Amino acid sequence: MKARFKRIKKVKRRTVFFWVLIFIIIASFFLLQLISKKINPIILRYATVEAKRFTVALINSTIDEDIISEIDEELFTITKSSSGEIQTVDFNAKQVNRLLNLISEKIEGNLLKMEEGNVDSLNVSKALKGYNFQKLKKGIVCEIPVGVLFGNSLFSNLGPVIPVKLSFLGQVTTHLNTKLE
């Protein structure tokens, strides 16, 4: 009789343990989903700001002396009246398109280099002061402090960091804006 009760207790313990384990797994899954829905927009906003910071620094460093030397007097044609007043300012479409194409190609190439971690040839160190360039060797890894996820400015730099690798999607578009003053 006692052996029968011991077997029933073992079976009950096993089934209780099994159902508790299943409940914990399901509860953990739903809790992770809930946390993910709350945290995802915050991480996305933070990563977007960091990506903009990187691209602005990269674009500014790309427009260097080589591209500035391409801009010359033949880029624009100024037509003046007999009294010396400027009537029209027009641009040489062939030269402008060649210059815009050169700028786009250099920016795309530098974005690919930065994404792959080849930052040695890029001149972005001044624009990204304080950023750990050892991490750039692995590609663009944005480290988001866990304190940012609470939405409180007091805790924004506290806690461990969540590494997020950034990848640039899309294309580079350039255009010429003309403004006469």
Side-chain angles (χ1 to χ4, degrees):
M1 197 76 163
K2 288 185 180 182
R4 187 173 176 201
F5 286 123
K6 285 185 180 180
R7 197 170 7 151
I8 290 173
K9 284 184 181 179
K10 283 185 181 181
V11 171
K12 283 185 180 180
R13 284 185 185 171
R14 284 185 193 164
T15 56
V16 168
F17 177 74
F18 174 74
W19 287 111
V20 167
L21 185 65
I22 294 295
F23 175 75
I24 289 173
I25 290 172
I26 291 172
S28 298
F29 175 75
F30 284 115
L31 185 63
L32 286 175
Q33 290 296 326
L34 179 70
I35 291 171
S36 177
K37 285 182 181 179
K38 297 283 184 183
I39 290 176
N40 226 13
I42 296 169
I43 290 176
L44 189 61
R45 264 185 279 144
Y46 197 88
T48 302
V49 168
E50 287 295 311
K52 283 182 183 178
R53 186 171 73 105
F54 275 101
T55 54
V56 166
L58 189 73
I59 289 169
N60 288 339
S61 70
T62 299
I63 301 186
D64 55 3
E65 296 299 321
D66 296 336
I67 292 178
I68 292 174
S69 67
E70 292 284 328
I71 300 173
D72 57 3
E73 296 297 322
E74 295 176 10
L75 196 59
F76 296 99
T77 306
I78 301 173
T79 308
K80 294 183 180 182
S81 66
S82 59
S83 63
E85 293 181 5
I86 297 176
Q87 288 184 326
T88 61
V89 176
D90 199 15
F91 58 89
N92 185 347
K94 185 177 179 181
Q95 288 230 319
V96 168
N97 287 333
R98 185 178 60 77
L99 183 62
L100 292 178
N101 189 31
L102 175 69
I103 292 171
S104 294
E105 287 176 354
K106 283 188 95 172
I107 290 173
E108 281 179 353
N110 287 348
L111 280 172
L112 286 174
K113 283 180 187 176
M114 184 178 272
E115 200 171 311
E116 293 169 355
N118 301 330
V119 293
D120 295 332
S121 63
L122 302 176
N123 188 20
V124 293
S125 60
K126 291 179 185 174
L128 297 174
K129 286 182 183 172
Y131 196 81
N132 190 348
F133 275 93
Q134 297 301 319
K135 293 192 173 76
L136 276 178
K137 303 264 185 208
K138 299 175 186 173
I140 301 174
V141 178
C142 175
E143 292 184 337
I144 302 172
V146 173
V148 169
L149 304 178
F150 295 117
N152 189 340
S153 60
L154 293 175
F155 301 123
S156 64
N157 277 337
L158 297 177
V161 293
I162 300 170
V164 177
K165 184 165 176 144
L166 300 180
S167 295
F168 294 107
L169 302 174
Q171 69 275 355
V172 176
T173 57
T174 55
H175 59 279
L176 179 69
N177 287 336
T178 57
K179 185 176 179 182
L180 186 61
E181 293 181 11

